[in-house]
Amino acid sequence: MNDTTTLPSRKKSPSSATLSHGKPARRKAVRVSAEDTAQVRSRMILAAMTAYRDGDFSVRLPAADWAETDGQIAEAFNQTIAHTRRISGEVTRLSETVGKEGRLKQRMSMPGARGGWAESVVSINTLVDDLVRPTTEIARTIGAVAKGDLGQSMELEVDGHELKGEFLRSAKLVNAMVDQLNSFASEVTRVAREVGTEGKLGGQAQVPGAAGTWKGLTESVNFMASNLTGQVRNIAVITTAVANGDLSKKITVDVKGEMLELKNTVNTMVDQLSSFAGEVTRVAREVGTEGKLGPDRPGAQHRGHHDGGGQRRSVQEDHRRREGGDARTEEHRQHDGGSTQRLFR
């Protein structure tokens, strides 16, 4: 309640009374003894304290109407309720600003408070500090992680005192998360550097204690590295075999995308090299070993000289012409130092 209620200092007696026959009665003086007055005030104080006990901080005693000790009691009671009401209002304000609006720098203020009242203010502000500090630390650590700084962690001590209970558990959870991220990032970086930059194939990421998504990410990185290693090594084996003259091997690893195009290109190259080598070997064997000369040899049927009409003669026809098979040729032998010349028309 925002308004204050002052209890009446005394009961008012009726100003007049009506007789049964309708005529006004005479006023009689009512004497109130000191004992009756004390009882009335005691009942008022009891009513006010009962309301205070039940959380009604709006009730007040009529201190101005009471003299001497009774007035001082009423004034002290009213001040006590006023202090309590101010504290209640400040706590409500803190609950709204800190708890709901997120204004974590707000604190309780009660100027002029002394003794236990001042201690209550300090205790409440300390409580807010203790509750806000872990939130601030978590925000700082997660903010650093978001910026790629995995070297930050939550402090497990505050002002020389170790965190306890849920505060300690929350701090350890956040630090474990940062450590897991740091370990995962380090391993992925190492594998990427070894495989992609240094050419060290076969590297695998090792993240101890990884579970859930972290385990899945680690397995994905290792699967990628393993696939790349298998593909590159298979290509290396085939190209090495070709360099050593073994044209019987092909890339057999299961690949997709651009690696599939590379696989098909290398296999086609091996097929063409094998076909070319086979043909060269066959011709060399037929000509050099078996003595097979002629049309069977690629291009042999087109070798020879051109005749007068611009047509190419075969080797056999050219040979017959030299032996005298052509009627248009006339041989003249002239002996000049044992040499013989053929003269053509």
Side-chain angles (χ1 to χ4, degrees):
M1 297 175 63
N2 295 326
D3 299 329
T4 59
T5 302
T6 303
L7 297 178
S9 60
R10 58 184 177 276
K11 294 182 179 179
K12 294 182 180 180
S13 58
S15 59
S16 62
T18 305
L19 299 177
S20 59
H21 51 75
K23 294 181 179 181
R26 293 181 180 180
R27 292 183 179 179
K28 295 182 179 180
V30 179
R31 293 183 179 181
V32 180
S33 64
E35 183 179 353
D36 292 337
T37 301
Q39 290 180 356
V40 170
R41 292 180 178 178
S42 296
R43 285 195 294 269
M44 292 174 63
I45 293 173
L46 177 60
M49 293 183 67
T50 302
Y52 178 39
R53 180 201 64 189
D54 295 338
D56 182 2
F57 302 147
S58 65
V59 67
R60 296 291 186 274
L61 290 174
D65 296 341
W66 294 356
E68 299 179 355
T69 304
D70 290 343
Q72 294 175 0
I73 292 174
E75 183 64 27
F77 177 82
N78 291 343
Q79 290 176 356
T80 301
I81 283 193
H83 283 309
T84 305
R85 187 173 186 179
R86 287 175 60 190
I87 289 180
S88 176
E90 279 294 290
V91 171
T92 302
R93 183 184 65 82
L94 276 182
S95 174
E96 186 71 23
T97 56
V98 176
K100 295 181 179 179
E101 298 176 7
R103 296 158 61 185
L104 303 183
K105 294 184 179 180
Q106 291 292 311
R107 294 297 181 270
M108 188 174 178
S109 176
M110 194 172 174
R114 294 177 297 177
W117 300 113
E119 291 177 1
S120 297
V121 173
V122 172
S123 296
I124 291 175
N125 286 339
T126 301
L127 173 63
V128 174
D129 288 338
D130 291 339
L131 290 174
V132 166
R133 186 177 291 108
T135 303
T136 305
E137 273 292 288
I138 290 174
R140 180 187 64 81
T141 305
I142 294 179
V145 171
K147 295 178 181 179
D149 183 3
L150 300 179
Q152 300 294 323
S153 62
M154 285 189 64
E155 297 292 338
L156 300 182
E157 291 186 2
V158 177
D159 298 332
H161 300 285
E162 293 185 358
L163 296 178
K164 297 180 180 179
E166 289 298 316
F167 293 147
L168 180 60
R169 191 176 74 89
S170 298
K172 287 183 176 180
L173 284 175
V174 172
N175 289 343
M177 179 196 70
V178 175
D179 290 341
Q180 197 77 45
L181 277 173
N182 196 12
S183 177
F184 176 75
S186 298
E187 282 297 291
V188 170
T189 301
R190 179 184 63 81
V191 172
R193 183 183 65 253
E194 290 181 355
V195 175
T197 304
E198 300 174 2
K200 296 180 180 179
L201 301 179
Q204 294 284 284
Q206 302 293 333
V207 184
T213 301
W214 302 123
K215 183 179 180 181
L217 288 173
T218 303
E219 291 175 350
S220 296
V221 170
N222 288 339
F223 181 74
M224 177 190 67
S226 178
N227 269 357
L228 184 60
T229 297
Q231 294 164 6
V232 173
R233 284 180 175 174
N234 192 241
I235 293 174
V237 168
I238 302 308
T239 53
T240 301
V242 171
N244 293 333
D246 183 0
L247 302 179
S248 64
K249 298 182 180 299
K250 289 186 178 181
I251 299 175
T252 58
V253 67
D254 186 19
V255 292
K256 297 179 181 179
E258 294 187 19
M259 294 301 294
L260 178 60
E261 295 179 5
L262 178 61
K263 170 185 175 180
N264 293 336
T265 300
V266 172
N267 286 343
T268 301
M269 178 194 71
V270 173
D271 288 339
Q272 291 178 345
L273 284 173
S274 180
S275 177
F276 176 74
E279 282 299 299
V280 171
T281 301
R282 181 184 63 80
V283 171
R285 184 182 67 252
E286 291 179 353
V287 175
T289 303
E290 300 175 1
K292 293 182 179 180
L293 304 177
D296 291 339
R297 190 171 75 256
Q301 65 273 23
H302 299 296
R303 296 178 60 186
H305 297 82
H306 290 280
D307 58 14
Q311 299 294 325
R312 182 180 293 274
R313 299 192 303 269
S314 66
V315 175
Q316 291 84 348
E317 291 176 347
D318 193 53
H319 183 69
R320 286 196 298 270
R321 286 176 181 271
R322 289 193 181 95
E323 293 296 328
D326 193 337
R328 294 176 300 174
T329 304
E330 181 179 348
E331 294 185 355
H332 296 278
R333 297 180 180 272
Q334 297 181 358
H335 298 279
D336 184 8
S339 63
T340 303
Q341 294 182 346
R342 289 182 178 178
L343 300 178
F344 296 87
R345 293 179 182 178

